[in-house]
């Protein structure tokens, strides 16, 4: 079941197209990983989906209703974890949650119960009466997440929720995201950390320059790119020039590099040369070890955008 | 009314705000009567305290905007108008309570306030103008610290140029005309009318001007949206 749907969305800032005919679907109960270099349009997309900005053209529907026609009803079911820590420094952790629960219409015993549950979920119960100024970076991040969870949204949008925190807090947040998914929350997760998307997301969308350039599961994305295959071999006897020549003549082989008993063979994508390579080197004295490098999400991203994700630099 | 209730709470979570809202009013009450002022000295200068207090508490909106909390509130089912009016209502209520305490305290202390009710109305109107002015001011800046430092200096200039510290008649003709552009001038005018027991209908012009200032400032200040 589709719970969020963006159809042919265009958003311009002057002559710059932040979103250029973007189509996106989020299915109920999934974690959708949204990847893209800086300036790709991820934040604009999130803001459009959360009803914070109006788009120039296209349709946005959430929970089966058009955003423009049912904005308040839809907002009631969305939570946004902002990239920056957006909590009140002059309110305690409990008061922060009471405020955000209150503006989503929670009152009295229900509000208290939700606040208690959310504090427990982010493990801040014992710090409930403290001001965030006394919190570590990780605790502030957890409170930042809690503020988006207190009203139990059906769709949780997380904009780089693990930026600048220690490993322990990061792992805790990732674990919480999985737990939320188990509880039935649909999550749209943007991050610069490729490994987070690989470990969390059931579907991945890659954006660049305002376009959605690829989407699918990790396996689908890897399959779709014509990425080079790399085979690393350690052979028993140092290869002769004839063996190396035979390896070079194999179908799809682009390059053969050798250093004494170590050989690296680079083939074009889809050549699937492991068996052929092994046959050649076995004839020439045998193999001590073999590893075939599979393309990673990083390779997919690099192939599609020509940029690394972490800093958006051109490769 | 969540925003309203939490805004009131947040106004008292800062030591400077507590001084301006809870300590300075008592100093205003305890200041002596001076022969050279029409009203007790503290009441003559109370407008300055109100202006500073309004600036301090209204800065909460700017803090919310610069910290991104306003954007987060924008994701909730709350309109920009709801956020704004609940904040402004909280600021207004706090200052109105302070004005009531100051006037009641002044009477109990034994000051001759001439017409306490009219004085209350004058201060309330000026407090609303000061809130509007601060809101408009903060909407023009990106950084709270810069906005605040420049605002403090501007308030001091306006109080001096507007005739709250000395009479505008002591200033050159051109400055006297320019002074009319400041809300502080119309506060000073209103205080003179109340203190000299002139016909209360003479307050109509200063009151209308203060209300127009308030409306204009609120329109400018509300331009910055939640997102």
């Amino acid at each position: 079941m589709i719970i969020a749907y963006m159809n042919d969305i265009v958003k311009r800032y002057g002559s710059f197209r932040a979103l250029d005919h973007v189509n996106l679907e989020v299915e109920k109960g999934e974690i959708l990983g949204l990847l893209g270099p800086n300036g790709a349009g991820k934040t604009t997309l999130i803001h459009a989906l959360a009803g914070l900005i109006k788009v120039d053209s296209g349709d946005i529907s959430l929970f089966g209703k058009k955003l423009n026609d049912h904005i308040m009803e839809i907002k009631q079911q969305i939570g946004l974890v902002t990239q920056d820590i957006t909590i009140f420094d002059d309110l305690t952790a409990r008061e922060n949650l009471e405020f955000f629960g209150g503006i989503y219409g929670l009152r009295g015993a229900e509000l208290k119960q939700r606040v208690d549950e959310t504090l427990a979920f982010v493990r801040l119960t014992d710090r409930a009466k403290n001001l965030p100024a006394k919190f570590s970076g990780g605790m502030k991040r957890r409170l930042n997440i809690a503020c988006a969870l207190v009203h139990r949204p059906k769709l949780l949008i997380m904009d780089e929720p693990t930026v600048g925190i220690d490993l322990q807090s990061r792992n805790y947040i990732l674990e919480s995201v999985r737990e939320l998914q188990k509880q039935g929350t649909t999550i749209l997760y943007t991050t610069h950390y490729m490994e987070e998307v690989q470990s969390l997301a059931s579907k991945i969308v890659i954006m660049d320059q305002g376009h959605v350039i690829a989407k699918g599961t990790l396996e689908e994305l890897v399959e779709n790119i014509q990425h080079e295959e790399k085979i690393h071999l350690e052979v028993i006897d140092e290869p002769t020039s004839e063996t190396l020549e035979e390896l070079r003549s194999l179908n799809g082989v682009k390059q053969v590099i050798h250093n004494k008993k170590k050989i690296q063979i680079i083939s074009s994508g889809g050549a699937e040369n492991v068996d052929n390579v092994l046959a050649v080197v076995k004839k020439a004295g045998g193999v001590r070890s073999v590893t075939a490098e599979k393309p990673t999400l990083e390779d997919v991203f690099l192939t599609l955008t020509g940029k690394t994700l972490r800093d958006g630099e051109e490769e | 009314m969540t925003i309203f209730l939490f805004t009131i709470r947040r106004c008292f979570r800062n030591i400077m705000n507590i001084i301006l809202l809870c300590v300075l009013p008592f100093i205003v009450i305890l200041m002596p009567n001076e022969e050279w002022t029409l009203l007790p000295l503290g009441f003559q200068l109370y407008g300055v305290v109100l202006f500073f207090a309004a600036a301090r508490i209204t800065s909460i909106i700017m803090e919310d905007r610069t910290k991104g909390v306003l954007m987060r509130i924008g994701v909730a089912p709350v309109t920009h108008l709801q956020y704004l009016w609940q904040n402004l209502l909280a600021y207004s209520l706090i200052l109105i309570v302070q004005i009531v305490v100051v006037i009641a305290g002044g009477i109990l202390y034994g000051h001759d306030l001439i017409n306490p009710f009219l004085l209350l109305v004058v201060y309330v109107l000026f407090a609303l103008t000061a809130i509007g002015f601060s809101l408009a001011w903060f909407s023009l800046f990106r950084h709270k610290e810069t906005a605040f430092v420049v605002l403090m200096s501007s308030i001091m200039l306006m109080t001096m140029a507007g005739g709250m510290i000395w009479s505008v008649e002591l200033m050159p003709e051109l400055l006297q005309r320019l002074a009319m552009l400041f809300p502080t001038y119309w506060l000073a005018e209103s205080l003179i009318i109340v203190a000299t027991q002139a016909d209360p209908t003479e307050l109509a012009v200063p009151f209308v001007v203060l209300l127009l200032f308030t409306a204009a400032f609120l329109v400018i200040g509300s331009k910055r949206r939640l997102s």
Side-chain angles (χ1 to χ4, degrees):
Chain A
M1 182 189 169
I2 306 288
I3 68 159
Y5 174 72
M6 296 179 100
N7 180 35
D8 209 25
I9 299 299
V10 175
K11 174 66 187 172
R12 294 186 199 89
Y13 292 107
S15 60
F16 173 70
R17 281 190 182 192
L19 296 177
D20 194 359
H21 300 283
V22 168
N23 294 299
L24 184 78
E25 288 170 355
V26 185
E27 282 184 46
K28 191 181 177 188
E30 74 176 356
I31 299 177
L32 179 71
L34 185 59
L35 284 173
N38 293 334
K42 305 187 296 290
T43 302
T44 309
L45 184 143
I46 285 172
H47 286 181
L49 197 60
L52 279 172
I53 54 168
K54 288 202 185 311
V55 294
D56 295 310
S57 65
D59 295 321
I60 301 175
S61 301
L62 285 115
F63 315 108
K65 291 170 182 162
K66 288 212 169 192
L67 182 63
N68 286 343
D69 300 340
H70 301 87
I71 190 154
M72 288 301 168
E73 201 182 324
I74 287 169
K75 279 182 169 186
Q76 189 71 39
Q77 302 176 68
I78 297 177
L80 174 69
V81 179
T82 49
Q83 184 176 349
D84 298 320
I85 294 170
T86 49
I87 50 178
F88 296 109
D89 288 331
D90 45 11
L91 296 178
T92 65
R94 172 173 287 281
E95 287 171 333
N96 264 285
L97 294 190
E98 284 172 349
F99 176 86
F100 284 105
I103 60 173
Y104 280 91
L106 299 175
R107 298 281 181 272
E110 189 188 18
L111 175 63
K112 188 183 178 307
Q113 188 192 340
R114 293 276 182 90
V115 168
D116 288 339
E117 285 170 3
T118 312
L119 282 168
F121 183 76
V122 295
R123 296 185 194 164
L124 286 175
T125 305
D126 55 338
R127 306 299 296 269
K129 289 180 181 170
N130 292 139
L131 292 173
K134 293 177 181 170
F135 287 3
S136 67
M139 289 162 79
K140 283 182 185 173
R141 280 270 164 213
R142 272 146 54 195
L143 180 58
N144 197 40
I145 292 172
C147 291
L149 289 177
V150 67
H151 63 291
R152 289 192 191 153
K154 288 181 181 166
L155 173 65
L156 181 65
I157 302 169
M158 305 183 88
D159 192 4
E160 313 223 9
T162 57
V163 168
I165 57 168
D166 59 89
L167 192 63
Q168 196 185 355
S169 294
R170 190 176 163 199
N171 287 339
Y172 174 72
I173 288 171
L174 297 183
E175 206 44 57
S176 306
V177 173
R178 288 190 194 97
E179 183 57 36
L180 285 168
Q181 188 199 20
K182 276 185 204 158
Q183 292 171 9
T185 310
T186 305
I187 296 158
L188 177 58
Y189 192 98
T190 80
T191 179
H192 268 66
Y193 300 110
M194 205 79 74
E195 58 277 18
E196 287 183 6
V197 171
Q198 277 186 232
S199 73
L200 281 177
S202 32
K203 205 166 77 190
I204 299 163
V205 170
I206 299 177
M207 287 190 75
D208 194 27
Q209 295 178 345
H211 298 273
V212 170
I213 54 173
K215 54 186 162 187
T217 62
L218 176 61
E219 293 72 25
E220 285 167 351
L221 290 173
V222 168
E223 261 176 38
N224 287 342
I225 62 155
Q226 290 296 305
H227 196 270
E228 289 171 339
E229 292 174 358
K230 282 182 193 166
I231 302 167
H232 300 273
L233 294 162
E234 192 176 350
V235 290
I236 291 165
D237 300 319
E238 196 167 335
T240 61
S241 54
E242 289 79 21
T243 308
L244 293 172
E245 200 49 49
E246 198 175 346
L247 287 170
R248 283 191 190 100
S249 65
L250 290 172
N251 182 37
V253 169
K254 291 160 85 174
Q255 201 176 6
V256 176
I257 304 162
H258 97 280
N259 181 8
K260 294 182 182 170
K261 293 179 182 177
K262 288 184 177 169
I263 310 171
Q264 182 182 279
I265 298 149
I266 301 170
S267 311
S268 50
E272 296 186 3
N273 262 333
V274 179
D275 284 345
N276 300 334
V277 166
L278 284 176
V280 172
V281 290
K282 271 179 188 169
K283 274 195 303 184
V287 185
R288 182 161 286 144
S289 70
V290 59
T291 51
E293 239 178 60
K294 282 189 172 176
T296 60
L297 188 56
E298 185 91 43
D299 296 318
V300 173
F301 191 83
L302 194 59
T303 306
L304 292 171
T305 66
K307 295 164 190 165
T308 56
L309 186 58
R310 235 171 274 273
D311 52 18
E313 284 174 358
E314 298 281 337
E315 280 293 294
Chain B
M1 294 296 278
T2 301
I3 296 170
F4 168 76
L5 294 171
F6 275 89
T7 303
I8 289 184
R9 209 181 283 192
R10 291 174 68 203
C11 284
F12 292 94
R13 289 289 166 89
N14 178 296
I15 190 73
M16 198 62 199
N17 287 9
I18 292 171
I19 291 170
L20 275 164
L21 295 172
C22 305
V23 180
L24 280 183
F26 287 98
I27 296 172
V28 165
I29 294 166
L30 296 174
M31 284 177 93
N33 284 309
E34 296 287 348
E35 280 185 14
W36 52 275
T37 57
L38 294 169
L39 286 166
L41 185 60
F43 288 82
Q44 196 74 35
L45 298 174
Y46 181 47
V48 186
V49 176
L50 272 177
F51 216 151
F52 277 115
R56 281 292 312 184
I57 57 179
T58 310
S59 70
I60 284 177
I61 282 188
M62 180 161 199
E63 199 175 300
D64 287 356
R65 176 161 55 83
T66 53
K67 285 204 73 188
V69 180
L70 207 51
M71 188 188 77
R72 178 166 223 157
I73 294 170
V75 179
V78 173
T79 63
H80 178 63
L81 190 65
Q82 284 172 325
Y83 170 81
L84 203 62
W85 81 254
Q86 289 192 39
N87 267 279
L88 294 177
L89 186 65
Y91 307 148
S92 307
L93 187 69
I94 288 169
L95 291 186
I96 289 169
V97 168
Q98 190 199 57
I99 293 165
V100 170
V101 168
V102 165
I103 289 183
I107 295 167
L108 291 173
Y109 189 69
H111 286 306
D112 178 15
L113 298 182
I114 302 159
N115 190 336
F117 176 74
L118 272 183
L119 206 55
L120 182 128
V121 176
V122 168
Y123 286 137
V124 167
L125 269 178
F126 181 71
L128 297 180
T129 311
I131 289 168
F133 180 84
S134 306
L135 181 74
W137 184 271
F138 288 126
S139 75
L140 303 175
F141 287 80
R142 279 181 182 273
H143 303 288
K144 187 186 166 190
E145 287 72 23
T146 315
F148 213 78
V149 169
V150 185
L151 178 59
M152 293 297 114
S153 316
S154 306
I155 290 174
M156 284 315 296
L157 275 174
M158 278 193 281
T159 53
M160 288 189 282
M164 288 177 69
I165 295 178
W166 55 71
S167 173
V168 284
E169 278 80 34
L170 299 173
M171 300 192 298
E173 184 76 16
L174 178 67
L175 285 181
Q176 284 186 39
R177 285 177 185 276
L178 281 175
M180 295 170 82
L181 296 172
F182 303 127
T184 44
Y185 171 86
W186 300 99
L187 170 66
E189 282 293 299
S190 305
L191 291 177
I192 291 168
I193 293 167
V194 174
T196 55
Q197 290 178 288
D199 184 357
T201 55
E202 288 182 30
L203 284 167
V205 173
F207 280 9
V208 167
V209 175
L210 283 174
L211 284 171
L212 287 174
F213 267 126
T214 308
F217 291 144
L218 288 178
V219 168
I220 297 167
S222 60
K223 286 287 178 192
R224 287 242 182 186
R225 314 291 299 178
L226 285 180
S227 53

